[in-house]
Amino acid sequence: MSDGLKIIIMGAGIAGLTAAIALRQQGHEIHIYEQSRLANETGAAIHLSPNANSVLRRLGIKHENRGAVKLLQTRYYDSSCRLLSVVDNEAQSHRWQEDWLMTHRGHLHAHLKDLAIDPHIEGLPVEIHLHSRVVNLDAQMATVTLTNGERIEGDVLIGADGVHSICRSAVAGHAYESFHFGKNAFRFMVSRAEVLKDPETRVLGEALGTMDFFFSPECKAIVYPCVNDTLLNVVCIHPSRLSSASLDSYDKPVSKATLLEVFSGFDQKLLKLFDKCDGDTLKVWPLWDARTMPIFIKQRLALIGDAAHAFTPFIGQGGAMAIEDAVSLAVMLSKGVTASQVEERLALYNLARHQRATTMQDYSRIAGSDGVRSDQDEKTKLSSRDHALDALSHDEHHSSTQLLRQHEWARLHKAVWRQPKVFGPSEPESGRDEVHNSYIVEARITFKTSATLLRNLFPSQSYDFAARDTVALATLRVRSQQDVPGPDSYETTEVRLEVHDVAYTQSEGSNVRARYVPVVFENSPEAICTKREELGYPSVFADISAAATDGNYTVSISWKGHEFATLWLRDLSPRSADGTQCALPLPNKDILVHRRLPKILTDTRGLGTPLDEDIVIHERAIGSGQGNKETNGSLNEPTIARESSDATSKDAGFQFKAIDAKLIPTLHHIVNRLAELPIFGIVEATLRKGVDQQIRSRAYTIGSSSSNV
């Protein structure tokens, strides 16, 4: 038996099986009740867009190992096969955490089922009860009744029973039927080898990893490969008056002559490709929609997939939304959740998923109304492509995790909030900072990581990335200053996280582009006080040890002997092979920080509303060196740093380790969030040494923003 919840899932489709895998990994006992005998998925193929594939990968599902094909390009044609436009998906793939895959729906379903019942992976194997139709359910008691009268009790009910869901009516409180919206689809597979053998159809199958769309005013056809590029999946959507689909099932046979007649206005080579389908197995499917649900939950019952939001097929996000639903549920019903917490956690699931899923529903409906006339040129834009960024630029695991965090933070009554606040509660502009010339060592590691995770560290909605990608650049910057002038010369070292290309929207609508710094680790209390109070930097104390030996540079960050981060640059080599001196410029981009200060009243009423300020900091070099004079009130970038050297590393990286609050009570909330940062690749790693020029930092308050919590 499991120490977790007993979760009953109705339906063993893609939504139900993904939810079962994700919830199993959270330590719950999972039972699926499927009304069919084999739980086979209908349909031919499905594509896994990056927003779906990234969360599947987090669950350990690598579906490219089951024959999935990477999408390389998308082509748009009119019905005469005249090319309208091409989208280079491969060129854009760096924007997403995972590849865009096209796969056989049956293979994906089998893969998910195998993992659900696998006894060798994390969690208890899922129990799948076939030929078990649920005829009644109680959302308050979390019970279901089968056709044989058997009554099963659980802690949570999940309705994954598809477009004709009985669970949907249980949530709505009345009959909530799906409806046929007037279009049908022929779906079939053809052998790519057969297409290539035919000189007339060869052109339709030559390009690997390609999804092709063909449009007439009323009809559209989609062709894309799957099963290691050996089969072409074909979907032919048309008005329902042109064919006769059964509204009671998905498997009504239809003649090949009907298919060819409905699409008779399309180019002959496309019709010849259609003619290669197996006429004995050709079927026609009705396409369904359902009125938008006002809510996806009721008491201890949650809907996922088509049961919650039946999808038209026009932007290919139906399966992706079902997978996102499943992952969001697993985040909300995480390890350790109790039966008494189920209803509030399902309410969070609804908050996480309702707006996004129903927005995607509407996008798909809009895309379904598109038609391409034969007289339109290559500049034609389809609304489905306009909406793609909203679908792809999302990571549901990180998004739901942040929502759950905010919920838990809001429940804390005695939490202490310190700068920087974006990492959550802890248990401790205007001005300028001047640093005189001193010998410095500066290391920078620039890396690719999750934009969604970094976005969760933004203080408010005024902050966003300039590009709507799920991959972003960030830099860990280590800066040691030696022989800093003072009563006694001293050394100070800082390690800061800099998030690249952040756009801050000011109240009047203009944007400030800068690097956003959510945290700075400092080993000097003086530096912390100066930067916090005068500039608003989110500085915190840590012990920082840096060492350079034998062409390597290593940094250790700790607190009271408890190391929580390491950074390394190995195999360093000079950037300039002839040994000439290198420029040591300071970054000329501005810096964005957020400062939180309590407002102190002068009477006995206590603390007032905290001050939340957004600050932009201008850093410029002044004083020594030529070309650093102030011009019209601005400071120019420095040119040469005296006695400087510059090296690059061929083997660089870093690691933050999650650590218990008892070991580092003042920093654990920051460190444990940084430990979540994935490294998708190191872009550049450099080490610079030399005599630095004087720095002047000027900070300006550019706005006030409400807390994310």
Side-chain angles (χ1 to χ4, degrees):
M1 292 295 292
S2 168
D3 292 331
L5 302 173
K6 181 179 180 181
I7 299 178
I8 297 171
I9 300 176
M10 289 154 280
I14 289 173
L17 288 170
T18 306
I21 295 168
L23 290 163
R24 166 188 175 170
Q25 293 179 7
Q26 296 298 329
H28 302 306
E29 176 188 345
I30 314 298
H31 294 263
I32 298 180
Y33 292 87
E34 166 59 42
Q35 64 180 346
S36 74
R37 290 186 179 276
L38 298 176
N40 286 330
E41 272 288 297
T42 57
I46 186 172
H47 55 99
L48 296 172
S49 52
N51 54 304
N53 197 24
S54 63
V55 290
L56 285 179
R57 182 61 60 93
R58 177 174 284 277
L59 297 178
I61 301 169
K62 300 179 180 180
H63 194 59
E64 56 269 41
N65 298 336
R66 294 288 188 105
V69 175
K70 180 179 178 180
L71 177 64
L72 302 178
Q73 66 172 346
T74 306
R75 301 184 296 196
Y76 296 86
Y77 298 87
D78 63 15
S79 58
S80 63
C81 287
R82 181 167 63 95
L83 183 64
L84 301 173
S85 63
V86 179
V87 176
D88 189 341
N89 300 97
E90 174 68 5
Q92 297 181 13
S93 63
H94 68 281
R95 302 174 65 182
W96 322 120
Q97 293 179 25
E98 297 294 339
D99 292 332
W100 192 321
L101 302 179
M102 302 173 288
T103 186
H104 194 295
R105 183 179 288 265
H107 292 184
L108 175 61
H109 186 258
H111 191 182
L112 294 174
K113 186 165 66 172
D114 290 347
L115 290 174
I117 63 177
D118 190 339
H120 301 106
I121 62 175
E122 182 180 4
L124 292 175
V126 175
E127 294 190 32
I128 303 178
H129 308 269
L130 301 179
H131 196 49
S132 299
R133 183 179 181 185
V134 174
V135 294
N136 195 17
L137 55 94
D138 186 325
Q140 182 177 9
M141 302 303 295
T143 62
V144 298
T145 304
L146 306 182
T147 51
N148 62 5
E150 182 182 1
R151 184 172 179 270
I152 299 109
E153 297 181 354
D155 297 305
V156 186
L157 302 182
I158 298 175
D161 49 343
V163 70
H164 299 299
S165 169
I166 68 164
C167 300
R168 187 189 301 127
S169 297
V171 169
H174 55 81
Y176 211 96
E177 297 295 330
S178 55
F179 59 89
H180 181 222
F181 65 90
K183 293 188 179 182
N184 296 338
F186 303 103
R187 289 176 175 168
F188 53 91
M189 299 273 197
V190 295
S191 165
R192 181 168 170 268
E194 291 298 316
V195 173
L196 292 176
K197 282 195 299 185
D198 188 330
E200 191 171 356
T201 60
R202 171 183 290 273
V203 67
L204 299 175
E206 286 179 325
L208 296 175
T210 298
M211 183 181 295
D212 290 333
F213 289 81
F214 303 86
F215 295 89
S216 76
E218 285 195 311
C219 301
K220 59 183 70 176
I222 305 99
V223 181
Y224 60 87
C226 59
V227 192
N228 293 317
D229 274 312
T230 62
L231 295 177
L232 294 180
N233 174 65
V234 185
V235 182
C236 299
I237 300 172
H238 56 281
S240 57
R241 70 177 187 277
L242 302 179
S243 66
S244 179
S246 170
L247 299 184
D248 298 321
S249 69
Y250 283 102
D251 57 358
K252 182 179 179 180
V254 66
S255 69
K256 188 185 296 187
T258 301
L259 164 64
L260 297 177
E261 173 62 26
V262 170
F263 283 80
S264 59
F266 280 63
D267 187 89
Q268 278 301 117
K269 56 179 169 287
L270 194 60
L271 292 178
K272 196 164 186 183
L273 182 147
F274 295 169
D275 193 42
K276 296 181 185 297
C277 74
D278 183 353
D280 295 333
T281 61
L282 181 63
K283 293 179 173 61
V284 62
W285 274 261
L287 300 182
W288 296 90
D289 199 351
R291 287 186 295 119
T292 300
M293 291 283 290
I295 193 170
F296 292 166
I297 61 163
K298 181 180 180 181
Q299 295 165 325
R300 290 199 276 168
L301 166 65
L303 304 179
I304 64 174
D306 280 349
H309 40 70
F311 256 78
T312 59
F314 302 112
I315 60 171
Q317 281 290 315
M321 290 300 105
I323 290 167
E324 286 187 1
D325 290 344
V327 169
S328 179
L329 261 182
V331 170
M332 301 310 177
L333 299 177
S334 53
K335 288 182 180 178
V337 68
T338 64
S340 63
Q341 295 175 293
V342 165
E343 291 193 31
E344 72 177 57
R345 292 299 184 91
L346 293 188
L348 285 175
Y349 160 75
N350 184 74
L351 185 62
R353 295 300 303 154
H354 187 271
Q355 182 176 354
R356 174 164 169 80
T358 56
T359 298
M360 291 301 129
Q361 261 186 311
D362 288 341
Y363 282 170
S364 187
R365 290 162 181 155
I366 293 169
S369 66
D370 282 339
V372 177
R373 299 189 303 273
S374 59
D375 61 345
Q376 288 182 304
D377 62 20
E378 68 277 2
K379 295 181 180 179
T380 299
K381 298 294 184 182
L382 299 174
S383 64
S384 59
R385 280 180 283 162
D386 294 337
H387 307 326
L389 281 178
D390 281 344
L392 304 183
S393 58
H394 186 80
D395 184 310
E396 187 55 54
H397 174 83
H398 292 315
S399 182
S400 287
T401 298
Q402 181 70 0
L403 190 62
L404 178 59
R405 279 197 186 103
Q406 291 173 339
H407 171 75
E408 292 175 336
W409 292 343
R411 295 167 63 90
L412 299 174
H413 300 296
K414 296 183 179 180
V416 176
W417 289 83
R418 289 194 175 98
Q419 177 95 304
K421 66 174 209 172
V422 294
F423 297 94
S426 68
E427 286 292 333
E429 157 187 285
S430 178
R432 71 179 186 179
D433 179 29
E434 296 186 3
V435 178
H436 296 281
N437 296 340
S438 57
Y439 189 83
I440 68 119
V441 177
E442 182 175 281
R444 297 185 192 180
I445 297 179
T446 300
F447 59 99
K448 295 180 181 179
T449 188
S450 165
T452 306
L453 194 150
L454 289 176
R455 191 178 284 112
N456 291 340
L457 300 182
F458 290 159
S460 73
Q461 294 182 352
S462 297
Y463 294 72
D464 203 351
F465 286 103
R468 295 177 60 195
D469 305 340
T470 54
V471 174
L473 289 180
T475 294
L476 272 179
R477 174 180 167 186
V478 183
R479 185 179 179 88
S480 294
Q481 295 179 281
Q482 301 171 12
D483 300 321
V484 178
D488 295 306
S489 62
Y490 62 95
E491 176 180 347
T492 178
T493 301
E494 71 166 36
V495 179
R496 69 166 66 170
L497 176 63
E498 299 177 345
V499 182
H500 293 214
D501 208 19
V502 173
Y504 178 89
T505 303
Q506 299 186 86
S507 58
E508 79 278 10
S510 63
N511 284 336
V512 174
R513 295 279 288 274
R515 293 166 294 147
Y516 166 59
V517 177
V519 66
V520 181
F521 295 99
E522 297 265 12
N523 66 356
S524 166
E526 292 85 358
I528 293 174
C529 291
T530 299
K531 291 180 179 178
R532 274 193 168 202
E533 296 176 8
E534 296 186 18
L535 298 173
Y537 268 101
S539 299
V540 295
F541 179 82
D543 296 307
I544 304 173
S545 173
T549 56
D550 299 324
N552 300 322
Y553 183 74
T554 58
V555 177
S556 170
I557 313 175
S558 60
W559 190 87
K560 299 293 185 180
H562 300 291
E563 182 185 82
F564 59 81
T566 55
L567 179 148
W568 61 89
L569 290 85
R570 304 186 182 114
D571 196 13
L572 287 161
S573 58
R575 185 189 291 270
S576 178
D578 60 3
T580 58
Q581 293 181 340
C582 303
L584 186 58
L586 292 166
N588 60 359
K589 282 189 176 182
D590 295 334
I591 294 171
L592 275 170
V593 298
H594 182 83
R595 176 168 65 172
R596 179 184 176 88
L597 294 174
K599 183 178 180 181
I600 300 175
L601 303 182
T602 57
D603 58 18
T604 59
R605 288 177 293 174
L607 296 178
T609 303
L611 172 65
D612 281 286
E613 289 186 318
D614 299 305
I615 297 167
V616 63
I617 301 170
H618 303 307
E619 282 192 347
R620 297 293 184 269
I622 60 173
S624 59
Q626 297 181 1
N628 295 305
K629 297 179 181 179
E630 294 195 24
T631 304
N632 297 325
S634 64
L635 296 169
N636 298 332
E637 183 181 352
T639 54
I640 299 293
R642 294 175 286 117
E643 303 175 10
S644 63
S645 63
D646 196 353
T648 60
S649 169
K650 299 179 181 178
D651 177 12
F654 65 90
Q655 181 182 27
F656 282 84
K657 298 176 289 188
I659 197 162
D660 191 271
K662 295 179 181 178
L663 299 180
I664 51 172
T666 61
L667 298 178
H668 67 93
H669 61 301
I670 301 173
V671 173
N672 291 349
R673 290 290 296 282
L674 293 176
E676 295 178 9
L677 276 176
I679 303 175
F680 298 151
I682 301 298
V683 176
E684 184 182 37
T686 61
L687 182 70
R688 292 174 170 182
K689 302 178 182 179
V691 176
D692 193 14
Q693 298 168 343
Q694 184 177 343
I695 303 169
R696 175 169 291 167
S697 297
R698 292 180 174 176
Y700 303 89
T701 300
I702 57 173
S704 299
S705 62
S706 299
S707 169
N708 262 346
V709 295

